[in-house]
Amino acid sequence: MAGLQNCNLVANPCFSKPIVTETDAQPCFDAPLYRRIIGSLQYLTLTRPDIAYAVNVLSQHMHDPAPQHTLMLKKLIRYIKGSTELGIPITRSNLQLRTFSDADWASDPVTWKSTSGYCTFMGNTLVSWTVKKQSTVSRSSTESEYRALAAATADTIWIRRLLLDFRITLSNPVDIFCDNMSTIALANNSIFHARTKHIEIDQRFVRDHIQQKHIKLLPVSTIDQLADILTKPLSTNRFKVLRSKLTVSTYSSVCGGMLEQIT
């Protein structure tokens, strides 16, 4: 479909630097083809968290893709072409949940909205991940991190309740890891300030679950923040490290048939 059967392979689905194109540059794909490819790749993200950020960014331009977006899509396809053997294993381990929450503040240069990313493990198995552009503009990195934390908390509580339907009760709070100390302090602070009034609902929501011992916020260094791969483009070395920590590795391919249609 994309005519890239014999393309050169790349090790990173994203460009780590902004793309500069000529004003008269021609797109790699026309708009209808761009939309068909992105539609197919959205299904692939159900088993490939390593491409979730790239697909999320490209999906925001389906109505009118510019040449740089088609160039980004071409690189993503080249990455997928060289990584069809990757997948997520399901391994036997404990049933304890742990979640990583992160945000990239004002990452969209047009709207200045931030990008939230979070992922949840059950034991050693990755069971949930999300990349989403926030609906409102955050006035600080703490605010953007807190909005991501509230969304991650809601998703974690949903998974916790889903386990109850299977008669699996978690005796300990779910650990949620965040690399922003201001966000952690705000979540544990019982006093509301005028400066945080615009996120008071999120603050109360997270703090209530902390008080009910459903979740526990823990600090994590930026280096060990696994959700970083879901919020921004990374250097190839950093990308590979986090991809490995997400347990994306060489297992039986789950995207071969879909890739044949795309390429």
Side-chain angles (χ1 to χ4, degrees):
M1 182 163 58
L4 296 174
Q5 292 88 343
N6 300 315
C7 62
N8 294 326
L9 309 182
V10 294
N12 193 329
C14 299
F15 290 96
S16 56
K17 297 181 180 179
I19 302 174
V20 179
T21 58
E22 300 293 337
T23 54
D24 58 346
Q26 295 298 314
C28 303
F29 314 105
D30 59 29
L33 178 58
Y34 180 95
R35 287 189 280 269
R36 288 201 300 272
I37 295 175
I38 294 298
S40 298
L41 293 181
Q42 286 176 342
Y43 287 101
L44 187 55
T45 60
L46 297 177
T47 56
R48 292 288 300 273
D50 53 321
I51 66 170
Y53 173 77
V55 174
N56 176 269
V57 171
L58 294 173
S59 297
Q60 298 173 29
H61 304 281
M62 292 180 68
H63 62 291
D64 185 24
Q68 64 265 30
H69 303 134
T70 63
L71 190 60
M72 292 166 62
L73 176 56
K74 182 177 180 180
K75 182 172 184 179
L76 175 57
I77 295 175
R78 291 169 62 193
Y79 168 76
I80 297 173
K81 177 73 173 178
S83 60
T84 56
E85 75 285 357
L86 295 182
I88 301 177
I90 299 177
T91 57
R92 183 185 296 272
S93 59
N94 62 72
L95 298 178
Q96 185 62 41
L97 298 176
R98 55 192 175 99
T99 298
F100 293 82
S101 171
D102 194 21
D104 188 21
W105 180 40
S107 56
D108 190 322
V110 177
T111 64
W112 297 109
K113 293 180 180 179
S114 307
T115 300
S116 299
Y118 49 90
C119 57
T120 300
F121 288 80
M122 180 184 294
N124 298 325
T125 302
L126 182 65
V127 295
S128 176
W129 58 91
T130 296
V131 182
K132 186 176 182 180
K133 185 165 73 171
Q134 296 180 5
S135 57
T136 58
V137 177
S138 297
R139 292 184 289 180
S140 67
S141 60
T142 299
E143 181 181 337
S144 67
E145 292 273 2
Y146 208 97
R147 294 188 189 281
L149 175 62
T153 299
D155 188 68
T156 301
I157 296 302
W158 179 83
I159 296 175
R160 184 186 177 103
R161 291 172 179 168
L162 181 63
L163 291 176
L164 286 176
D165 292 339
F166 291 95
R167 299 183 180 180
I168 300 173
T169 302
L170 300 181
S171 56
N172 299 318
V174 178
D175 293 337
I176 298 184
F177 296 91
C178 178
D179 61 3
N180 188 292
M181 297 304 297
S182 297
T183 299
I184 295 176
L186 184 62
N188 289 290
N189 188 357
S190 60
I191 301 175
F192 295 94
H193 301 278
R195 292 176 299 176
T196 61
K197 187 175 182 179
H198 50 291
I199 56 171
E200 184 173 338
I201 294 177
D202 286 339
Q203 187 179 2
R204 288 186 182 275
F205 174 74
V206 173
R207 190 163 60 85
D208 284 351
H209 284 293
I210 293 176
Q211 292 177 338
Q212 296 174 36
K213 300 188 182 303
H214 292 160
I215 64 171
K216 179 172 64 175
L217 290 186
L218 296 174
V220 65
S221 66
T222 302
I223 295 178
D224 296 323
Q225 175 56 273
L226 304 190
D228 201 33
I229 195 174
L230 303 173
T231 62
K232 62 176 73 71
L234 303 171
S235 65
T236 300
N237 290 338
R238 172 72 171 160
F239 172 79
K240 288 183 176 180
V241 169
L242 292 184
R243 183 182 67 183
S244 175
K245 290 184 177 182
L246 284 181
T247 71
V248 178
S249 53
T250 304
Y251 280 81
S252 58
S253 175
V254 294
C255 61
M258 182 179 297
L259 183 66
E260 290 176 1
Q261 297 178 14
I262 296 176
T263 57

